[in-house]
Amino acid sequence: MKASAKANANIALIKYWGKKDKTLNIPFNSSLSVTLDKLFTITSVEFNKDLSNDIFVINDSIQSDSEHSKLSLFLDLVRNRAGINFKAKVISENNFPTASGLASSSSGFAALALAATKAAGLNLSPKELSILARKGSGSASRSVYGGFVMWEKGEAGVDESSFATQLFDENYWPEFKVVVVILQNEKKDTSSRDGMNNTVATSPFYNVWLATIDEDLKNLRNALKNKRFSALGETAELNCLKMHATMLTAKPSLVYWNSQTVELMKLISKWRAENLEVYFTIDAGPQVKILCLDKDLIRLQKKLSELKFIQNIIVCSAGSGAKLI
Ligand code: DP6
């Protein structure tokens, strides 16, 4: 009753921000992401009748009580489905900083969903796995697949209605790159979950955000279909800024950026004016993900190498979906 899986993190180009069903983790809006080839989680799960408690070791450290209970509840979903009651030992490693706005929960829960179901003797379809991973973390529903992925919002109260599907696989657009710029490695103060719940409850801009999503999704899907990079970049950057506008106007205001995030955002606009075709997207943390094509990568890397405040740069292409290893 043991299995291991690897899942890549994904970055949303059209963001998920807000839950209309907190129990089933069903979002207010559909979202669209790209799975990345260089940021991943490897997780092994062993169900064992001799264990009296679940044990979680993530990046070599035993988990806190709150993290532990969230993960145990997720394993309960798998245990109930498989009709077993054994506790599990879970060992998980990310190859990048955890909980700092680098989508560790997307790869984390996708890898856990796959390893745990396999270890419990279940063989879920990708769609079933996406539905299950969603209940661990919304963005994890997308990491089940490689390439460009759409997560359909579905209906509140209807578990099977909300899942991800692949739009284009990881080989579709080899020139497309996401340059992940790490500005800070510390864990963030406010989780995405708390941040989005508070935004939904208090931001006067939340409904405006929701009203613009369908158009953003349409534009982004068209841009992808025709490989029109400028349209993709413009739509993704604006969507990111709109999401952050809802956070900035929440009560209390939620600012995931630091001063270097803002400096880099301004530089990216400036570089674009100088004909370097780059766009940014930012999630619930200070890190900046720069979208570009191969033709501009060397010039971009040179510019970034001159910025002393950058801690690390990871150049990613579209990566594959979750797999057993
Ligand atoms: C800003 O998937 O981490 O990265 O469902 O509560 O676990 P939970 O939230 P999570 O939120 C991700 C938010 C985001 C945007 C996105 O990935 O779409």
Side-chain angles (χ1 to χ4, degrees), residues 213-273:
I213 297 286
D214 283 349
E215 168 115 32
D216 285 0
L217 278 170
K218 190 176 98 204
N219 290 341
L220 205 116
R221 291 186 70 154
N222 266 332
L224 261 181
K225 193 167 128 215
N226 300 306
K227 296 192 182 164
R228 283 177 40 231
F229 179 69
S230 324
L232 180 145
E234 273 166 30
T235 307
E237 191 174 289
L238 182 61
N239 182 268
C240 154
L241 288 169
K242 286 189 289 192
M243 175 184 74
H244 283 274
T246 69
M247 303 173 183
L248 294 170
T249 49
K251 232 173 165 180
S253 177
L254 184 57
V255 187
Y256 282 110
W257 306 334
N258 63 26
S259 54
Q260 292 147 356
T261 313
V262 178
E263 192 167 338
L264 197 48
M265 288 159 76
K266 288 185 168 189
L267 281 171
I268 288 167
S269 306
K270 177 169 165 278
W271 294 339
R272 207 154 58 218

Side-chain angles (χ1 to χ4, degrees), residues 12 15-17 19 25 105 136-139 142 192-193 196 243 283-284:
K15 309 289 186 189
Y16 145 56
W17 196 247
K19 305 167 195 292
N25 212 23
S105 65
S137 181
S139 53
R142 301 184 307 235
S192 313
R193 186 156 304 186
M196 70 174 79
M243 175 184 74
D283 293 290

Side-chain angles (χ1 to χ4, degrees), residues 173-190:
W173 198 352
E175 300 81 17
F176 180 83
K177 294 286 172 297
V178 179
V179 179
V180 176
V181 180
I182 300 178
L183 300 170
Q184 190 180 315
N185 282 331
E186 287 91 62
K187 226 173 155 160
K188 61 194 173 198
D189 301 331
T190 310

Side-chain angles (χ1 to χ4, degrees), residues 105-229:
S105 65
S106 68
S107 52
F109 276 100
L112 182 60
L114 181 55
T117 50
K118 192 73 192 169
L122 297 167
N123 273 311
L124 300 195
S125 68
K127 177 176 165 184
E128 290 170 321
L129 212 52
S130 175
I131 291 169
L132 175 65
R134 184 198 80 223
K135 287 181 272 197
S137 181
S139 53
S141 66
R142 301 184 307 235
S143 272
V144 168
Y145 297 95
F148 296 89
V149 179
M150 167 109 177
W151 172 21
E152 294 288 347
K153 61 179 190 271
E155 301 287 322
V158 187
D159 190 21
E160 322 78 68
S161 67
S162 182
F163 53 88
T165 51
Q166 186 180 63
L167 299 177
F168 298 102
D169 75 13
E170 56 272 30
N171 303 314
Y172 173 69
W173 198 352
E175 300 81 17
F176 180 83
K177 294 286 172 297
V178 179
V179 179
V180 176
V181 180
I182 300 178
L183 300 170
Q184 190 180 315
N185 282 331
E186 287 91 62
K187 226 173 155 160
K188 61 194 173 198
D189 301 331
T190 310
S191 68
S192 313
R193 186 156 304 186
D194 293 345
M196 70 174 79
N197 288 343
N198 194 46
T199 303
V200 171
T202 63
S203 170
F205 288 1
Y206 191 71
N207 283 331
V208 182
W209 151 257
L210 282 186
T212 68
I213 297 286
D214 283 349
E215 168 115 32
D216 285 0
L217 278 170
K218 190 176 98 204
N219 290 341
L220 205 116
R221 291 186 70 154
N222 266 332
L224 261 181
K225 193 167 128 215
N226 300 306
K227 296 192 182 164
R228 283 177 40 231
F229 179 69

